[in-house]
Amino acid sequence: MTYRAVLGTRHVLRLLAGTLTGRMPSGMVAVSLVLWVTGGGGSLATASTLAAIYGLTASVTQPVKGRLMDRHGQTRVSAPAAIVSSSSLLALPVIGPGGSTWLIGAAVALAGLSAPPLESGLRSLWPSVVTDLGQRKVIQALDTGAQGLMYVAGPLLATWLATTCGADAALTAASVLVLVGTATVLTSAPSRTWRPHREEAVESARPAKRHQLVSGGMVLLCMGLAALGVSLGGLGVWAAAIAETNQAAWLTGVLPAAFSTGSFLGGLLFARLARRASPATQLGCTAALFTVGWLALLPQPGPHAAIVAAALPGLFLTMVITCGFATIDALAPASRTTEAYSWLILAVGTGQAAGTVLAGTLASHLLGLSALPAAGAAIATTVFALSRPVLGPRRQPGRHRRTSTPPRPRHRHRHRHRHRHRR
C-alpha cells in the first residue's frame, strides 16, 4: 500500500487540499487577532480574549452543524456557513482595531460560530471516495496527521503577512482561504452527490435505539478524548516556560512546531502499519504510548533536548486520534456519523481549553507544568482501558444468536415416503 496509490485515487488530493485550505484560518485567526489588536494600540488581554472567543465558538457549534449536515447534506450547511464566516472576518479590517469592542467581539464570535464543519464533513466522505478498507485507513491517518501542520503553517503565514503587509492583510487572507477551501470541497463530485444515510430511519424495528447517538461508549470516548486534549492545551504554556527558563524565545514557536511535525510523521508511520486488533484495543495501546512520550518532559530538558522531547509524544497523537475516529465508526449510527465526528472534535477542543487554563495556574511551578500533559494522557489511557468492553460496535439483540442444533431434515423423509407410495 503506497502513498502514491492512495493519493492518486480520484478526488482524494482535491478533498485533502480543499479541507486543509478551508481550515487554515483555524491556525491563523488567533495570531492575526493578537497582531491586529496590539498593532492598533490594544492590550494583549483584549487580543487573547478575542482569540479565545473565536476558538470556543468554533468548537462548541461543531455538533450542531454536523447534525444539520447529516440531515440536509453538505452544500446546504457549509456553503452559507463559509459565506458568513468569511464576511465576518472581512468585516474586522473595516471596523478597525480602534472600533467598538462589542462590535469587534460580535464579528469574531460570528466568524467562529459559522466556521464550516469541513473536518467532520471530510470524514463522512471517505467511505464513498476510498472503498478499499486498507486504503481508507491510510488516508484517514494521513488526514489526521496533516491537520497538525495547519497549526505550523497557519501561524507562520499569519505572522509573515502581518509583518510584510499589515495585520489587516492576515485577516483578509484568512477570509479568502475559508471561501476557497470550502468551494474546492463542495464543488467536488463526492460532496455534491453525498446524501445523508437514511437506512436506519426507515426501518421499523427499534428505530429509536438504532438512531440514537448518545451511549455509554460514546460518553466514555469523549471523556477520554477530553483528557487527551488537556495534554495538548498544556503544551503551549510549557513551551513558553521552557523558553523563558533557557532564555531562548524562539523555543515558544519551535516546540509546538516540533510536536506537530512529529504528529505528521507519526501519521505516515501509522498509515503503513498492518493493524488487526479492534479499534478500541488500538485506541488504548496508542494512548499508552502517547502517555509514555510525555515523560520526556519531566527532566526539564535544555533547548535542543526539548525539541526532541516535544516531537516524541507528537508521534503518537495522530495514532490516537485516528483510532478515536475508527471507534466512532463502530459506535455511531450510520445516519449520524458527521455529528459523531463533530462531538469528537469538540471533546478534544474543550479539553485543550481546560488544559491551557490549568497550565496557566501551574506556570510558576515548572515541574507541575511539565507533568500536566503526561497526567492528562494517563487519565485518557485509563478511561480507554476501563471502557474497552463498551467501545466496540453496538449489537442488536436477538440478531447475533444462532441455534446450536441444526433443524431436522424432514423433507428427506417425505421424499422417501412419496417414493415408496409410487412403488
Side-chain angles (χ1 to χ4, degrees), residues 278-326:
S278 65
T281 302
Q282 295 177 41
L283 181 64
C285 293
T286 53
L289 293 173
F290 186 66
T291 304
V292 173
W294 286 113
L295 298 179
L297 274 62
L298 296 180
Q300 303 175 20
H304 295 91
I307 297 175
V308 178
L312 188 59
L315 287 173
F316 306 106
L317 174 64
T318 296
M319 303 183 185
V320 180
I321 299 298
T322 303
C323 293
F325 277 114

Side-chain angles (χ1 to χ4, degrees), residues 227-242 256 294 297 351-360 362 368-374:
L228 196 78
V230 172
S231 301
L232 305 180
L235 176 64
V237 181
W238 173 80
I242 289 293
W294 286 113
L297 274 62
Q352 190 169 355
T356 302
V357 174
L358 290 174
L362 297 171
L369 181 60
S370 302
L372 178 63

Side-chain angles (χ1 to χ4, degrees), residues 8-305:
T9 304
R10 191 180 181 185
H11 305 301
V12 165
L13 198 57
R14 175 176 179 171
L15 291 174
L16 273 178
T19 301
L20 292 176
T21 301
R23 295 194 66 238
M24 188 67 70
S26 299
M28 293 180 61
V29 170
V31 176
S32 299
L33 286 173
V34 170
L35 297 175
W36 184 68
V37 172
T38 55
S43 65
L44 182 61
T46 301
S48 301
T49 302
L50 290 174
I53 289 174
Y54 178 82
L56 184 61
T57 52
S59 298
V60 168
T61 55
Q62 284 289 330
V64 177
K65 289 177 284 191
R67 185 164 190 175
L68 290 174
M69 188 177 288
D70 280 331
R71 290 185 175 183
H72 306 291
Q74 297 196 353
T75 302
R76 293 184 179 180
V77 177
S78 291
I83 293 173
V84 174
S85 182
S86 176
S87 302
S88 301
L89 290 174
L90 198 59
L92 292 174
V94 177
I95 299 171
S100 170
T101 303
W102 290 103
L103 189 59
I104 293 174
V108 171
L110 186 59
L113 288 170
S114 57
L118 295 177
E119 183 179 1
S120 56
L122 180 62
R123 291 282 173 171
S124 299
L125 291 178
W126 286 138
S128 61
V129 176
V130 183
T131 56
D132 181 77
L133 185 58
Q135 289 188 352
R136 195 183 307 166
K137 291 180 179 179
V138 172
I139 197 60
Q140 287 176 343
L142 287 175
D143 176 16
T144 305
Q147 300 296 331
L149 294 180
M150 292 187 319
Y151 298 100
V152 179
L156 291 177
L157 178 60
T159 304
W160 177 75
L161 287 172
T163 53
T164 56
C165 306
D168 287 348
L171 291 171
T172 302
S175 171
V176 172
L177 288 174
V178 171
L179 288 178
V180 172
T182 306
T184 302
V185 174
L186 296 184
T187 55
S188 65
S191 180
R192 285 187 287 106
T193 58
W194 183 84
R195 294 294 180 270
H197 192 288
R198 300 190 181 278
E199 288 184 5
E200 296 187 2
V202 299
E203 293 181 0
S204 58
R206 292 185 174 88
K209 288 188 176 181
R210 294 186 182 184
H211 202 61
Q212 183 180 1
L213 177 62
V214 179
S215 64
M218 280 292 298
V219 172
L220 291 172
L221 178 62
C222 289
M223 289 175 58
L225 291 171
L228 196 78
V230 172
S231 301
L232 305 180
L235 176 64
V237 181
W238 173 80
I242 289 293
E244 183 179 356
T245 301
N246 291 278
Q247 297 182 353
W250 53 273
L251 284 174
T252 304
V254 170
L255 292 179
F259 179 84
S260 298
T261 304
S263 176
F264 179 70
L265 296 176
L268 296 178
L269 175 63
F270 190 60
R272 297 300 299 270
L273 295 177
R275 302 180 293 277
R276 297 182 179 180
S278 65
T281 302
Q282 295 177 41
L283 181 64
C285 293
T286 53
L289 293 173
F290 186 66
T291 304
V292 173
W294 286 113
L295 298 179
L297 274 62
L298 296 180
Q300 303 175 20
H304 295 91

Side-chain angles (χ1 to χ4, degrees), residues 215-225 278-284 323-324 326-332 380-394:
S215 64
M218 280 292 298
V219 172
L220 291 172
L221 178 62
C222 289
M223 289 175 58
L225 291 171
S278 65
T281 302
Q282 295 177 41
L283 181 64
C323 293
T327 305
I328 280 187
D329 288 336
L331 289 174
T381 303
T382 304
V383 172
F384 294 148
L386 295 178
S387 58
R388 190 166 68 90
V390 295
L391 290 181
R394 296 178 175 178

